[in-house]
Amino acid sequence: MSTPPLAASGMAPGPFGGPQAQQAAREVNTASLCRIGQETVQDIVYRTMEIFQLLRNMQLPNGVTYHTGTYQDRLAKLQDHLRQLSILFRKLRLVYDKCNENCGGMDPIPVEQLIPYVEEDGSKNDDRAGPPRFASEERREIAEVNKKLKQKNQQLKQIMDQLRNLIWDINAMLAMRN
């Protein structure tokens, strides 16, 4: 997997070679920066997996000249992968810094506002419909309703127990009279 370069090397793409084209080639929007960052992370993971594969297959030198050549080849590959991994991490840092620079003026949106919910009538919440309700408010309301429901259930249970006792007493009195 290879990733495209972060900035142009001074040559403008296409037939236009003016300074405006070079400026446009160097300016990369945040979405493409995120894509480049994602590809860089994928490259880092791939290289790391290759490094672990090399380390698993590598045997430590034990003084035998039989495996020295193979060991040196694998060591060279490992050092090359580590060097490339270091370059990828530097590239990722550049992309991260550039994304933060581009997003510096944006106001962060609270996570609670990004969570959609369905109202009682089944319609989805729209920003046009009114102020958004936060997930924490929903959770608190649900907890209150559950508490009230448990209280009502307890009251109903007490009433049922009283009715059962009353019916038991009535049946006992009827049985005594017979």
Side-chain angles (χ1 to χ4, degrees):
M1 280 181 160
S2 65
T3 57
L6 184 60
S9 61
M11 298 291 291
F16 304 107
Q20 292 175 344
Q22 288 179 352
Q23 177 77 16
R26 288 188 180 149
E27 290 181 12
V28 182
N29 66 11
T30 306
S32 62
L33 278 175
C34 289
R35 182 185 49 79
I36 290 170
Q38 179 182 6
E39 290 173 358
T40 304
V41 167
Q42 289 172 348
D43 284 346
I44 288 171
V45 169
Y46 178 73
R47 295 280 181 197
T48 305
M49 287 175 26
E50 285 182 350
I51 288 172
F52 283 122
Q53 183 72 25
L54 281 172
L55 288 173
R56 186 173 30 158
N57 293 334
M58 186 179 284
Q59 297 175 356
L60 295 176
N62 53 5
V64 179
T65 58
Y66 178 69
H67 297 288
T68 305
T70 306
Y71 172 77
Q72 292 300 329
D73 290 341
R74 288 182 181 169
L75 183 62
K77 279 185 185 178
L78 181 64
Q79 288 173 343
D80 183 49
H81 282 304
L82 289 173
R83 183 185 52 77
Q84 290 173 354
L85 195 61
S86 174
I87 291 170
L88 287 172
F89 272 112
R90 279 187 252 137
K91 180 179 178 181
L92 186 62
R93 173 48 85 178
L94 289 173
V95 169
Y96 175 78
D97 290 341
K98 186 67 175 174
C99 281
N100 279 342
E101 177 184 314
N102 289 348
C103 297
M106 295 183 180
D107 293 330
I109 298 172
V111 176
E112 292 87 9
Q113 289 182 352
L114 298 176
I115 301 172
Y117 72 96
V118 177
E119 292 186 10
E120 290 78 26
D121 61 356
S123 64
K124 289 226 177 212
N125 181 22
D126 289 339
D127 290 335
R128 293 170 261 136
R133 293 172 49 189
F134 297 114
S136 58
E137 290 176 15
E138 285 270 324
R139 185 173 294 156
R140 183 181 43 79
E141 289 177 8
I142 290 172
E144 288 175 11
V145 168
N146 283 340
K147 185 178 178 181
K148 289 179 182 178
L149 185 62
K150 286 180 182 180
Q151 289 175 346
K152 291 291 183 184
N153 284 342
Q154 188 67 30
Q155 289 175 352
L156 285 173
K157 185 176 183 264
Q158 289 174 352
I159 291 172
M160 288 173 27
D161 287 341
Q162 289 174 355
L163 281 173
R164 188 179 301 113
N165 289 337
L166 180 63
I167 291 172
W168 184 270
D169 290 342
I170 291 173
N171 285 338
M173 284 194 282
L174 287 174
M176 295 286 271
R177 208 168 47 165
N178 290 340

